[in-house]
Amino acid sequence: MSETASPDPELFDKIVNLSKRRGFVFQSAEIYGGFRSTYDYGPLGVLLLRNVKDAWWRSMVQERHDVVGLDASILSPPQVWQASGHLANFSDPLVDCTNCNARHRLDKLDDPNVCPTCGSEGTFTEAREFNLMFKTHAGPVTETAAEVYLRPETAQGMFINFANVLNTSRKRPPFGIAQIGKSFRNEITPGNFVFRTREFEQMEMEFFVPPAESQEWYEYWCQTRMDWYLDLGMDPAKIKLRAHDDDELSHYSSGTSDVEYLFPWGWDELEGIANRGDFDLTQHATHSGEKLDFFDQANNERYVPHVIEPAAGATRTAMAFLMDAYDEEVVNDDTRTVLRLDHRLAPYKIAVLPLSKKDTLTPTAMEVFDSLKRRWMVDYDETQSIGKRYARQDEVGTPYCVTVDFDTLDDRAVTVRERDTREQDRVSLDQLEGYLAERLS
Ligand code: GAP
C-alpha cells in the first residue's frame, strides 16, 4: 500500500457533475426544486448500482455453499425494534442554537460550546436524543397500536428469520444469511452527495457460528471483505481496514472493524464488520418467546450461535467505485476523461457505433447489437462524430467500442477499441462474440 495517498477535494465536484451530466444520479424531485438528501439513479447509475449489488451477491451467496439469501420486509412492528435496541438507543444527540436557531449533532461539533453556523458561544440548548427511525402507521388508523417503522438496517430481517431459515435450508452453523435492500434513517446531517442519505441501500450478511469459532470467523470476514473491494479494482492505497478502539465498540461487540475509503473529504466508512456475540438472537428470543438456538447433535450440546456481520452500503460503495475509477489523461493536447471501472461494474460492457448514420450501415450495426445484447448490456449510439462517441463511452467506463464502418459491408469485420489503452483490433463478425467473451470474462 502506498503511503502517499491523499484526498483529492476537487474529485467531489467532478463526480457530482459527471453523475448528473451523464445520467448516473439525479437529485430527487428535481422539477419541484429537489428533495434534499434523496437521489434517483438514472440509466447509467442503475446499471452501476446493480452491478455492485450483483458482484456482492455473487461473492457472498452464489459462490458459497454456506450462505443463503433473504428478502425481508421493509415495514416492521415496534416489537422488532424494541428487541434490537433501536427504539431505545438508535438516536443522535441534538442541540439548538438559541441565537440563530440552527440545529446540530452534538457529537459532530468541533467545539461543543460554539455554534458553527453563527459562531456564538454558550448558546446551545441541553442536548435531546433524536431517534433516527422513520415511523408510520399501518392501515387507516393513526393510533399508537398501528405504529410501524421503516427498517433502519436490513440486519434484523436475518435475525428474526433465523429459525425459519435454519429449519428450511438444512444449513447448520457456521452458515450465513445475506440480504440486499433499502434502509431508511432520518439522518440529522445527511450529505456528501449519496454518501449519507435518508434512504439508501445496504448489503448485509449475518454469519452464525459456534461461539468458540467467532474470533477466527471475524478475522476471516475482515480479510474476505477487503479482498472483495481489491478484486474489483479498488486502489489499494485508498482502502484500509480500521479496528475500532475499545470506546467505539458496542457493549455486546468483542471486535468491530471498518473498511474505510479515501473519499475527497478524507477517510470514511464503506462497511463495518462486527463480532456481535449472541446479542441479537438472545434479544429476539427473550422478546418473542421463541427459541433461537441450535442443537449440535454431534456434540450433544445446545448453544446460541454468535454472529459475525459484514454490513456494507450499496449506494455508498457504488459512489466509491465511481470515484476510484475516475481518471483524466492528456492525449494529443486534449484531456480525456476515462472511468477505469472493472468490467464487471461498468454500466455498459460494449457500445456498438455505426461510423455514419447512413441507412447502409444501420442494418449491419443492428445485427451486431442483436448478436451481443443477449449476453451483455450493450449501448447503441449513432449520433455525433466517432471521436466524440469514443469520448462519451470512455467517460462512462464502457470497456469496448465496436465500430461498424463501410468496409464491414465487404469484409464482415468490425473495429474493436479498448477503453484504457485505446488500442484497436479488426475482428471478423463471426469471431466477435468469442473475442469479447475472452476479454470480458
Ligand atoms: N447492521 C449494521 C449496520 O447497519 P451501519 O454501520 O449503521 O451498520 C452499514 O451501516 C453500512 O450501511 C455503512 O457502512 C454504510 O456503508 C451504509 N450506511 C449507513 N447509513 C447510511 C446512510 N445514511 N446513507 C448511506 N449509506 C449508509
Side-chain angles (χ1 to χ4, degrees):
M1 172 168 155
S2 152
E3 298 296 323
T4 52
S6 51
D8 173 7
E10 285 176 16
L11 181 61
F12 186 77
D13 284 344
K14 288 178 182 171
I15 292 297
V16 176
N17 290 341
L18 177 76
S19 294
K20 180 162 185 199
R21 187 161 40 82
R22 297 306 313 276
F24 281 94
V25 179
F26 306 121
Q27 174 80 65
S28 192
E30 201 174 0
I31 60 167
Y32 292 102
F35 183 40
R36 193 173 160 246
S37 160
T38 48
Y39 294 93
D40 298 341
Y41 285 74
L44 291 171
V46 72
L47 294 174
L48 172 65
L49 184 58
R50 181 177 286 230
N51 292 341
V52 168
K53 292 186 286 186
D54 282 352
W56 186 89
W57 190 265
R58 193 181 175 90
S59 96
M60 299 297 273
V61 182
Q62 184 178 331
E63 292 177 355
R64 301 191 65 97
H65 68 280
D66 55 0
V67 179
V68 291
L70 184 79
D71 191 358
S73 72
I74 288 173
L75 287 177
S76 31
Q79 291 92 319
V80 171
W81 308 109
Q82 242 147 26
S84 69
H86 282 80
L87 269 177
N89 303 321
F90 196 56
S91 56
D92 284 336
L94 270 191
V95 287
D96 289 315
C97 173
T98 50
N99 183 47
C100 69
N101 294 328
R103 186 163 281 180
H104 295 283
R105 249 179 86 169
L106 182 63
D107 56 329
K108 293 281 173 191
L109 291 173
D110 289 339
D111 182 333
N113 287 315
V114 179
C115 173
T117 309
C118 68
S120 53
E121 205 175 329
T123 50
F124 282 138
T125 56
E126 284 289 305
R128 287 173 297 121
E129 287 299 322
F130 174 76
N131 194 289
L132 299 183
M133 281 196 295
F134 281 100
K135 184 159 68 177
T136 184
H137 294 90
V141 278
T142 53
E143 64 198 21
T144 312
E147 279 175 2
V148 292
Y149 291 87
L150 302 191
R151 66 182 177 200
E153 60 172 25
T154 56
Q156 298 304 320
M158 273 85 90
F159 299 131
I160 61 179
N161 279 292
F162 170 77
N164 285 337
V165 175
L166 190 70
N167 295 334
T168 54
S169 68
R170 305 176 65 80
K171 297 287 173 203
R172 42 171 294 151
F175 85 100
I177 310 178
Q179 174 169 210
I180 298 175
K182 288 227 170 177
S183 293
F184 303 82
R185 297 182 188 178
N186 200 359
E187 299 280 2
I188 298 158
T189 48
N192 284 339
F193 196 35
V194 298
F195 180 82
R196 180 171 291 105
T197 49
R198 299 201 169 108
E199 174 180 345
F200 54 98
E201 266 189 288
Q202 289 187 304
M203 312 183 285
E204 296 196 283
M205 199 271 286
E206 310 302 327
F207 201 69
F208 302 95
V209 302
E213 296 176 19
S214 70
Q215 180 60 23
E216 192 187 317
W217 279 111
Y218 168 65
E219 286 164 24
Y220 167 87
W221 280 112
C222 284
Q223 188 58 51
T224 303
R225 291 302 305 143
M226 277 296 284
D227 291 346
W228 182 79
Y229 294 94
L230 294 170
D231 177 57
L232 285 168
M234 219 169 237
D235 181 350
K238 291 190 172 169
I239 186 165
K240 70 177 182 192
L241 193 67
R242 184 185 69 81
H244 280 203
D245 295 331
D246 286 348
D247 61 355
E248 284 178 274
L249 288 178
S250 323
H251 64 92
Y252 48 79
S253 174
S254 56
T256 298
S257 293
D258 287 346
V259 176
E260 292 191 340
Y261 182 73
L262 190 58
F263 285 99
W265 55 91
W267 290 100
D268 219 331
E269 179 185 332
L270 278 181
E271 167 165 358
I273 301 137
N275 183 346
R276 300 177 63 92
D278 64 2
F279 176 76
D280 308 280
L281 290 181
T282 305
Q283 284 292 106
H284 285 297
T286 309
H287 282 73
S288 67
E290 296 289 325
K291 266 206 172 99
L292 299 178
D293 56 17
F294 175 71
F295 181 64
D296 178 0
Q297 279 177 332
N299 295 311
N300 197 26
E301 63 165 343
R302 185 173 286 282
Y303 63 83
V304 178
H306 283 205
V307 168
I308 312 302
E309 177 192 72
T315 36
R316 193 178 280 189
T317 299
M319 181 180 70
F321 276 119
L322 199 58
M323 289 176 166
D324 203 68
Y326 188 94
D327 193 20
E328 288 174 356
E329 68 175 2
V330 178
V331 180
N332 302 331
D333 294 336
D334 272 339
T335 302
R336 146 177 124 112
T337 300
V338 50
L339 276 189
R340 300 191 193 278
L341 282 168
D342 183 277
H343 294 168
R344 290 164 289 180
L345 300 181
Y348 288 112
K349 314 300 174 199
I350 301 156
V352 174
L353 312 173
L355 190 63
S356 110
K357 231 174 151 179
K358 291 225 168 67
D359 289 350
T360 36
L361 293 183
T362 308
T364 313
M366 282 312 292
E367 180 193 323
V368 174
F369 175 80
D370 287 340
S371 72
L372 303 174
K373 72 183 183 193
R374 272 176 222 92
R375 194 154 176 184
W376 295 290
M377 227 28 240
V378 182
D379 193 14
Y380 183 90
D381 185 5
E382 55 182 16
T383 56
Q384 295 187 309
S385 72
I386 192 70
K388 284 204 171 117
R389 278 181 280 161
Y390 282 154
R392 281 175 65 81
Q393 295 298 336
D394 289 345
E395 198 182 38
V396 299
T398 308
Y400 293 98
C401 288
V402 174
T403 304
V404 176
D405 54 31
F406 292 99
D407 289 340
T408 307
L409 303 179
D410 298 325
D411 66 2
R412 300 284 296 163
V414 285
T415 300
V416 182
R417 173 188 179 273
E418 201 272 332
R419 176 194 71 198
D420 293 341
T421 58
R422 292 175 288 118
E423 274 170 15
Q424 304 194 356
D425 274 344
R426 193 78 184 161
V427 181
S428 77
L429 282 181
D430 55 8
Q431 313 232 316
L432 183 62
E433 187 174 345
Y435 176 97
L436 291 166
E438 204 179 297
R439 287 158 178 80
L440 289 168
S441 62

